[in-house]
Amino acid sequence: MASDAPPLFAAREPIFPRRVSGPFRRLKWAILTITLAIYYVTPWIRWDRGPNLPDQAVLVDLASRRFHFFWIEIWPHEFYFVAGLLIMAGLGLFLFTSALGRVWCGYACPQTVWTDLFLTVERWIEGDRNARIRLNDAPWTARKWRLRLSKWLSWLAISVATGGAWVFYFADAPTLLHRLVTGQAAPVAYVTVAILTATTFTLGGFLREQVCIYMCPWPRIQAAMMDPGTLTVGYRDWRGEPRGKGGIRRRQAAAEAVGGGAATARYGAAADKDQALPRTARTGETLGDCIDCNACVAVCPMGIDIREGQQMECITCALCIDACDEVMAKIGRPRGLIDYLALDDRPPTRPGETAEVAAFTATPSGDVADSDRPAWQPKPVWRHVFRPRTILYTVAWAAIGVALVVALFIRPEIDMTVAPVRNPTFVTLSDGSVRNAYDIRLRNKHGEARPFQLSLGDAPALTVAVEGAPDRLVEVPADSTRLTRVYVLAAPDTAAARRERTAIRLWVEDTISGERSHEDTIFNGKESFDERSGSAG
């Protein structure tokens, strides 16, 4: 028996966003240009670190287990820097979402940036919205094949460049490029480029908004990060309803909805509605400012109608604001019908009163019918941005950042790790002295080889010896580590030799700079061994 339940997956309907101009579109162009330039150019920036060291400014050197970022070098044991940056990125995402909604999704998310780039190429080749719709519905002629192949080849070139740029972060870029072109690169490099090319081509060219709706978890998480005070893209229904053309002819309204024009004045202009003449329908009904031109729908890359309220699909790219402001400027109405606004930013109402009536009788112009009603204005932007939640996120984000910077500047240029040899834990020599062995890994973070000298702390009854170095001097290559075997001896009948465990401190000193580092460990005596042997006997 057939089920009446709706399908869980809706077939994709192609979306053809219209070109739009305005401040938010220009902001998106700027961010797109900057982010793409950073991604493609960064691997080619050179940074001199000295001889025998990579001169690529940003490099994830997997072979040497290093991460180079200009003058900063992160070693494997310093992964807490990477963890701290990831935590800062998460807190930053929470902060911006709680303050301004999904601005990351609308402006800087890689899916948005590359989709925007692909859409730009599509417009250059196939034309704007109406031309692309006609081409999509047209039969497959020679012209359609030519346009589609030109578009796909352009997308493919961008995708290859994207995959190639990614692998350049993991090896010297000029060398790897030469090897890729000549067929001498490792197979993993070609496989990585192929996978990233395919994913970029598919996600940016064909899936587009489907990635945001079905694949990305953030639209479902964002509700926990937002509250009624969060600024996000929305429609002032109390100002726009009821919709209608009013005195504007239908053809004129449609033409003006897709035309040019600049909108002026920023946030809060919706409160000036009383300064414009009212719009009325032929029936005499007073209309809102929305002329139902659907310009906001035509420019939306997600294909939604923002007038239906907050929706999971909305990425707050604000292109609908630019489109609506153009229309408002042409029909002589104030901007801000669609704007960055908060859910709690509405005129206060009285029992039985709508928000639209409240907006008319509480405006700050002074021409009000209700003299006892206080003037109403939208809250200033700063009051929405600086709220307890956003301040808490900012403090946490800044605290982690300061901690990472401090840790970066106080970290030593030399370091060591000590691993006691466990089999056996100690050796009794022929003269009765007790010897422990330790494997010590010395780290030299300098750009040249350095001689390191090992010593013990305040332990007069103990002596230290380095295997293969009578003077306890070990030379460690530049920007490298060296593993060496160290022996600590306790003379017979001393406390350290008899005691089960003795805490000791091993020191390493750079004999050139005088910088020192230490590591605490344990010296094992033979008391516990004697006790176990006696009890066993």
Side-chain angles (χ1 to χ4, degrees), residues 43 54 88 159 183 317 390 526:
M88 287 184 66
S159 302
C317 64
T390 59
K526 57 182 182 179

Side-chain angles (χ1 to χ4, degrees), residues 98-308:
S98 63
L100 299 171
R102 291 174 62 189
V103 289
W104 161 260
C105 302
Y107 295 91
C109 174
Q111 175 65 21
T112 297
V113 170
W114 264 269
T115 297
D116 228 0
L117 180 60
F118 278 32
L119 278 172
T120 302
V121 172
E122 187 176 278
R123 289 194 189 99
W124 284 345
I125 296 175
E126 296 182 354
D128 206 358
R129 171 181 166 83
N130 292 338
R132 301 204 307 278
I133 293 176
R134 289 194 298 269
L135 182 67
N136 183 72
D137 296 338
W140 283 92
T141 61
R143 176 180 178 273
K144 184 171 182 177
W145 274 109
R146 175 175 57 82
L147 294 177
R148 287 293 169 89
L149 287 175
S150 299
K151 178 180 71 174
W152 293 338
L153 289 175
S154 300
W155 286 356
L156 185 61
I158 295 172
S159 302
V160 172
T162 302
W166 177 259
V167 298
F168 292 151
Y169 283 92
F170 297 87
D172 183 66
T175 304
L176 181 57
L177 177 62
H178 178 265
R179 291 176 178 174
L180 285 171
V181 173
T182 57
Q184 301 174 4
V188 66
Y190 293 105
V191 172
T192 303
V193 172
I195 292 175
L196 291 176
T197 297
T199 53
T200 304
F201 185 80
T202 304
L203 302 184
F206 298 97
L207 296 184
R208 294 180 179 174
E209 78 286 347
Q210 300 286 313
V211 175
C212 305
I213 297 173
Y214 295 107
M215 297 174 63
C216 179
W218 189 239
R220 293 155 181 84
I221 299 174
Q222 66 168 339
M225 300 293 106
M226 299 172 63
D227 55 48
T230 300
L231 284 174
T232 187
V233 175
Y235 168 66
R236 290 189 168 98
D237 56 338
W238 53 264
R239 173 186 156 185
E241 303 296 326
R243 309 173 195 174
K245 305 298 181 185
I248 303 175
R249 295 196 303 273
R250 186 177 186 86
R251 183 174 299 177
Q252 177 188 357
E256 289 176 340
V258 298
T264 59
R266 277 305 312 142
Y267 184 83
D272 298 329
K273 178 182 176 181
D274 61 310
Q275 297 177 4
L277 296 176
R279 297 177 58 248
T280 57
R282 293 185 178 88
T283 60
E285 178 189 12
T286 300
L287 298 175
D289 281 355
C290 180
I291 63 173
D292 207 16
C293 63
N294 283 333
C296 55
V297 180
V299 302
C300 179
M302 303 298 293
I304 65 172
D305 188 345
I306 194 62
R307 296 171 297 179
E308 296 178 359

Side-chain angles (χ1 to χ4, degrees), residues 36 45 95 108 125 165 229 261 299 311 358 424 437 459 477 489 504 512:
L36 289 178
I45 301 175
L95 169 62
I125 296 175
V299 302
Q311 298 160 68
L489 292 90
I504 63 173
I512 294 179

Side-chain angles (χ1 to χ4, degrees), residues 414-425:
I414 65 173
D415 196 8
M416 69 173 175
T417 56
V418 178
V421 175
R422 301 297 184 184
N423 189 19
T425 57

